Each structure stands twice: as structure tokens, then as C-alpha cells.
Amino acid sequence: MKFQEVDFLIQRTMDSITVRGAVLDDLELLRSFEQGVIQAERPFDVTLDADPISYYDIGAMIEDDDAHVVVAEIGGKVIASGYALIKPAKPYLVHERYSYLGFMYTVPEYRGRGVNTKILEGLKEWSYAKGLKEIRLTVYNGNGSAIRAYEKAGFKRHIIEMRLE
């Protein structure tokens, strides 16, 4: 198969990405995705405790009306995840609530192909439907590829959190 044919097949496959709300039947796979997120973030955060750790109560978020966990699928295979969570804003801000995005994970062989963009689109749509205009996320300062991806999706750098060792 020629390179151009492979490229066409990849594009055709990427066009068939579907994003849907996660269900409890996805929980085992989503827990493995969570461990993938943790492993990817370990090099950026020396304060993470030793394994096993967990960031999220994914099952509770799936069932929570103030959260929206989504997965991306190709041909029925779940290849990515993300969530939006409604959070209260600080009392001194112009908005009362905002949508916080997290749990962004894409199976390694599908990275760099726009899958996360589809996840972000789905989470933004949900957030806007909930009446939220402010959408935020956090990313490690050293994670240049994630920062570039979020900037490409329209996010702007806002605050840098610092710590004293």
C-alpha cells in the first residue's frame, strides 16, 4: 500500500470518530486511561505519591448531573476520554460557575490525529448547553505538546502555579 493510500485511510478513519457520554460499562477501560494520564504526568510532578494512586471517582462523575464524562470511539473501539465538571468560581470573579476540563487521554496510536479536538468540542458543547461561558483546564508547564494542543483549540495561558521546594 502506498503512503498516500495509508494517509487517506487514516483520514477516513478519523472522520468516523464519534464522541458519546461515558457509561458505567466503560468504567474498567476508563480506569486504565486514568493510569495512562497519571503515568504521562509523573515526569512533570515530583509531588505525586507512589503508585497506586487515583485522580478521579470516574463512576461518580458518570452519574453526576454536574459532570460530563465522554469517550471517543472509532468503529466501536473506545480510544480517548475527557470530562467537564461544573465548579463554583471564586467569589471575586465575574462568573459564578465555570466548566473545568480534565481526564484528557488518547490511546497512544491515535495521538496527533485530532481525537482530542473532538473530545474538546463535545465538552465545550455540553458546557455551553449548561449556560457556562467560562471553560478552564490545567496543564503542566513542562508539557509542551499538551500546551500547544490546547492553544490550537483556542485556550489561552492564564495563571502559572508555582511551588517552593
Side-chain angles (χ1 to χ4, degrees), residues 33-103:
F33 285 7
E34 176 187 28
Q35 293 308 304
V37 171
I38 291 166
Q39 292 311 309
E41 292 182 348
R42 275 199 183 283
F44 303 110
D45 193 342
V46 298
T47 68
L48 291 178
D49 205 354
D51 284 327
I53 64 171
S54 178
Y55 286 166
Y56 321 109
D57 185 342
I58 301 166
M61 286 194 300
I62 288 172
E63 296 182 324
D64 187 342
D65 289 338
D66 284 341
H68 188 52
V69 181
V70 297
V71 296
E73 291 181 322
I74 292 180
K77 177 184 177 185
V78 176
I79 59 163
S81 63
Y83 75 70
L85 180 62
I86 298 174
K87 289 189 168 191
K90 302 286 185 189
Y92 50 81
L93 295 175
V94 297
H95 51 277
E96 292 181 16
R97 303 177 316 149
Y98 67 99
S99 184
Y100 178 81
L101 308 186
F103 191 30

Side-chain angles (χ1 to χ4, degrees), residues 10 25 36 57 77 82 95 98 120 128 133 154:
I10 289 170
D25 286 344
D57 185 342
K77 177 184 177 185
H95 51 277
Y98 67 99
L120 288 170
Y128 296 150
K133 306 248 186 284

Side-chain angles (χ1 to χ4, degrees), residues 105-116:
Y105 181 80
T106 301
V107 172
E109 58 265 29
Y110 293 96
R111 292 180 184 160
R113 300 183 183 179
V115 178
N116 196 48

